[in-house]
């Protein structure tokens, strides 16, 4: 059955592989691909920074900080990304203008919301803020997974809390964080296609513009799928290499933590 499906996939003339080949390196498709990659990189960078902040707040002793971070995660994980994108894109309906000024005093700066919330801005806000809620929980779980004894040992050696986090906790937490975070990055790349609803010309929307004029729907969608597969494959290979790199020096030992002692003292 699998063989018959593969043969049909390759020989069925309705797939029009000649048309697929013609559009594979079409400039409009390539421009859409570049936009998709930019969206993924920028959104993931913002989400990672905000996710780290959320994880820190969730682990804080302050009830207020924990509550704010928890509410953020609840809100953005509990509502669909598509709905969030549409809300950001139509923010001007709720807030016609955005201004900065002194409370009960003069306005220092003001601009129309429509001028600020472009399709690109709405896409970044929607993707990054939504992804931050997931990354925050992933980072928090990675930090929790590190044994508290590591922090206590760092404190005993006179390291500050920041240095202990940077040199002890974070390197170990990354082994837990990287696999799910990498999957989130790949997922973000793929579901960035939902920004087509706000007319941002990423990869899928660029394809839609083409087959909307030529009616070559299947061949163009196959081109879009091929490029997604190529990029996801590259990201998967990079993820595997990064995981192996992070695993170097952290192999399980039976020497009671001598490896970490050498790392702390600089004798690597």
């Amino acid at each position: 059955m699998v063989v018959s499906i593969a043969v049909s996939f390759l020989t069925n003339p309705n797939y029009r592989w000649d048309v697929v080949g013609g559009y594979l390196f079409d400039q409009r498709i390539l421009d859409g691909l570049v936009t998709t990659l930019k969206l993924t990189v920028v959104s993931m960078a913002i989400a990672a920074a905000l996710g780290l902040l959320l994880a820190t707040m969730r682990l804080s002793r302050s009830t207020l900080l924990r509550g704010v971070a928890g509410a953020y995660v609840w809100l953005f994980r509990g509502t669909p990304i598509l709905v969030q994108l549409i809300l950001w894109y139509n923010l001007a309906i709720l807030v016609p203008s955005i201004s900065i000024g002194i409370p009960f005093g003069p306005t220092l700066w003001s601009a129309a919301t429509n001028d600020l919330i472009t399709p690109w801005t709405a896409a970044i806000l929607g993707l990054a803020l939504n992804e931050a809620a997931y990354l925050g929980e992933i980072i928090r779980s990675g930090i929790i997974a590190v044994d508290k004894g590591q922090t206590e040992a760092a404190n005993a050696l006179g390291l500050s809390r920041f240095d202990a986090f940077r040199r002890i906790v974070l390197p170990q937490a990354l082994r837990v964080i990287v696999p799910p975070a990498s999957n989130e990055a790949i997922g973000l790349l793929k579901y960035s296609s939902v920004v087509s609803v706000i007319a941002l010309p990423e990869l899928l929307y660029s394809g839609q513009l083409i087959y909307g004029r030529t009616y070559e729907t299947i061949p163009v969608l196959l081109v879009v799928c091929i490029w997604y597969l190529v990029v996801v494959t590259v990201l998967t290979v990079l993820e595997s290499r990064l995981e192996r790199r992070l695993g170097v020096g952290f192999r399980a030992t039976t020497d009671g933590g001598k490896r970490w002692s050498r790392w702390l003292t600089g004798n690597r």
Side-chain angles (χ1 to χ4, degrees):
M1 180 177 177
V2 175
V3 174
S4 62
I5 292 175
V7 171
S8 174
F9 189 70
L10 294 174
T11 60
N12 190 333
N14 293 324
Y15 286 110
R16 302 182 65 184
W17 291 108
D18 56 327
V19 178
V20 171
Y23 281 122
L24 195 58
F25 295 100
D26 186 281
Q27 189 60 48
R28 293 165 294 182
I29 293 293
L30 294 180
D31 289 342
L33 176 62
V34 170
T35 300
T36 293
L37 293 176
K38 287 181 179 178
L39 270 176
T40 303
V41 171
V42 174
S43 299
M44 198 65 188
I46 296 173
L50 186 54
L52 179 59
L53 177 62
L54 288 171
T56 305
M57 292 171 65
R58 291 271 280 172
L59 295 171
S60 171
R61 297 178 181 177
S62 169
T63 303
L64 176 61
L65 292 179
R66 292 198 309 270
V68 170
Y72 180 100
V73 172
W74 167 78
L75 176 62
F76 283 92
R77 289 203 310 181
T79 52
I81 177 62
L82 182 59
V83 174
Q84 295 175 32
L85 281 169
I86 295 174
L87 284 174
W88 282 115
Y89 188 63
N90 293 281
L91 184 63
I93 299 175
L94 296 175
V95 185
S97 64
I98 298 174
S99 59
I100 298 175
I102 300 173
F104 307 106
T107 300
L108 303 178
W109 175 84
S110 179
T113 304
N114 275 331
D115 295 335
L116 297 176
I117 307 298
T118 62
W120 172 264
T121 308
I124 292 295
L125 287 171
L127 295 175
L129 296 180
N130 179 267
E131 185 62 34
Y134 293 91
L135 284 182
E137 292 300 282
I138 290 172
I139 295 171
R140 183 173 69 92
S141 66
I143 295 173
I144 292 174
V146 178
D147 190 273
K148 292 183 178 180
Q150 300 290 345
T151 304
E152 293 172 357
N155 293 334
L157 291 171
L159 294 178
S160 66
R161 292 183 63 182
F162 176 76
D163 286 337
F165 178 79
R166 180 175 61 88
R167 299 186 62 183
I168 307 299
V169 177
L170 187 58
Q172 295 183 81
L174 284 176
R175 291 189 301 157
V176 179
I177 294 171
V178 166
S182 299
N183 289 332
E184 285 294 320
I186 292 173
L188 179 63
L189 171 75
K190 292 185 294 184
Y191 66 68
S192 65
S193 59
V194 298
V195 305
S196 60
V197 300
I198 58 175
L200 183 67
E202 42 72 59
L203 182 56
L204 176 59
Y205 190 70
S206 297
Q208 290 174 333
L209 290 177
I210 294 174
Y211 71 66
R213 291 193 296 268
T214 65
Y215 300 102
E216 297 167 322
T217 305
I218 298 300
V220 175
L221 288 178
L222 286 173
V223 169
V224 171
C225 289
I226 288 170
W227 277 117
Y228 275 120
L229 284 171
V230 168
V231 177
V232 168
T233 301
V234 172
L235 289 178
T236 302
V237 172
L238 293 176
E239 174 195 354
S240 299
R241 292 185 176 181
L242 180 58
E243 287 184 32
R244 288 198 299 269
R245 179 69 181 86
L246 290 172
V248 173
F250 292 92
R251 291 185 296 272
T253 61
T254 58
D255 58 3
K258 291 180 182 179
R259 185 182 298 275
W260 268 107
S261 296
R262 292 196 299 270
W263 190 90
L264 280 171
T265 56
N267 299 322
R268 306 179 194 177

